[in-house]
Amino acid sequence: MHDEHPACAFCDRAALSGVLLETERFLLLADHAPLVEGHLLIIPRDHISCYGAAPAELDDELCALKRRIAGFLASAYRAPFFFEHGVFGQTVFHAHLHALPLGAAALPLEDLLAAGGRPVSRPADVRAWHVERGHYYYIERPGPDGLPAQAAVFPPDPQTYFRALSMLRDAAGRLDGYEPVPVRRAGAAPKIAALAAYWRALAATEDAS
């Protein structure tokens, strides 16, 4: 039995579409207004406000799922960035981690860290920030040339937040051309269908091996 909230769009399992994978504790969804084809959401089944509030027993499964998704996106598209609003700026107040296959797009975390952020390397670090300082946003960029990914949390300062969003949008725009949310949602069906086909092909390969 999972902790659900009747008014939450992500808790209404029957109404969700674009579900690619269900695990014991998580759902993997295609984003319905993708910044680029391959845009995914990792959503805990339990109603949790953000990953900073998620219990430690989710950590191993979350990290394994992220590794699987990173491998899939790198193979089908490009290496992914991971991004979470952490309540600040969310439209659905149920934790959801974005996976955006942007590849080696330049996003200078060092510049953003100068605005009061903190490097993190594991979910416990995000929880620690949440306990100490409350709301946050999170960015994880793929490491260059096979090096480990680099991640950081940042305070919910609007100027820094929108600067980070602009960097992600610019990176997406160089690949697909940036479009506002209503346009992306209206044109999402072919991108979601292509993503689902790639995912099914990967799953078939894994089942055969």
Side-chain angles (χ1 to χ4, degrees):
M1 185 69 180
H2 293 281
D3 180 24
E4 298 178 349
H5 193 288
C8 174
F10 287 159
C11 285
D12 187 358
R13 177 65 186 85
L16 290 178
S17 61
V19 178
L20 302 179
L21 178 69
E22 300 184 38
T23 71
E24 181 182 357
R25 297 177 180 272
F26 295 94
L27 300 174
L28 179 65
L29 275 67
D31 192 287
H32 282 195
L35 273 169
V36 294
E37 186 181 311
H39 186 168
L40 294 167
L41 300 177
I42 307 171
I43 300 172
R45 287 177 176 270
D46 286 340
H47 185 78
I48 300 166
S49 62
C50 63
Y51 277 100
E57 55 262 32
L58 270 64
D59 289 0
D60 289 347
E61 188 175 340
L62 173 62
C63 291
L65 183 55
K66 284 178 63 182
R67 288 192 296 270
R68 181 178 179 183
I69 291 166
F72 161 69
L73 290 176
S75 175
Y77 297 101
R78 294 160 295 273
F81 280 74
F82 291 95
F83 176 80
E84 188 201 3
H85 295 278
V87 176
F88 181 75
Q90 281 184 220
T91 55
V92 178
F93 292 95
H94 180 132
H96 51 288
L97 182 65
H98 296 259
L100 297 168
L102 301 178
L107 199 160
L109 287 184
E110 297 81 6
D111 292 352
L112 296 175
L113 285 168
R118 178 191 298 172
V120 297
S121 60
R122 55 185 181 160
D125 297 334
V126 180
R127 278 195 299 276
W129 174 288
H130 189 253
V131 168
E132 296 167 15
R133 302 187 57 175
H135 295 330
Y136 64 90
Y137 61 101
Y138 170 92
I139 298 176
E140 179 181 328
R141 68 179 178 190
D145 300 323
L147 294 174
Q150 300 168 302
V153 286
F154 304 91
D157 166 70
Q159 182 175 355
T160 309
Y161 171 72
F162 287 113
R163 182 182 176 198
L165 279 185
S166 294
M167 290 176 181
L168 291 170
R169 289 170 178 168
D170 288 347
R174 288 192 290 271
L175 296 169
D176 280 2
Y178 176 74
E179 296 175 325
V181 170
V183 176
R184 299 203 308 268
R185 186 177 290 119
K191 293 180 179 180
I192 293 173
L195 169 60
Y198 279 129
W199 183 264
R200 288 193 298 269
L202 173 69
T205 301
E206 290 177 343
D207 290 342
S209 61

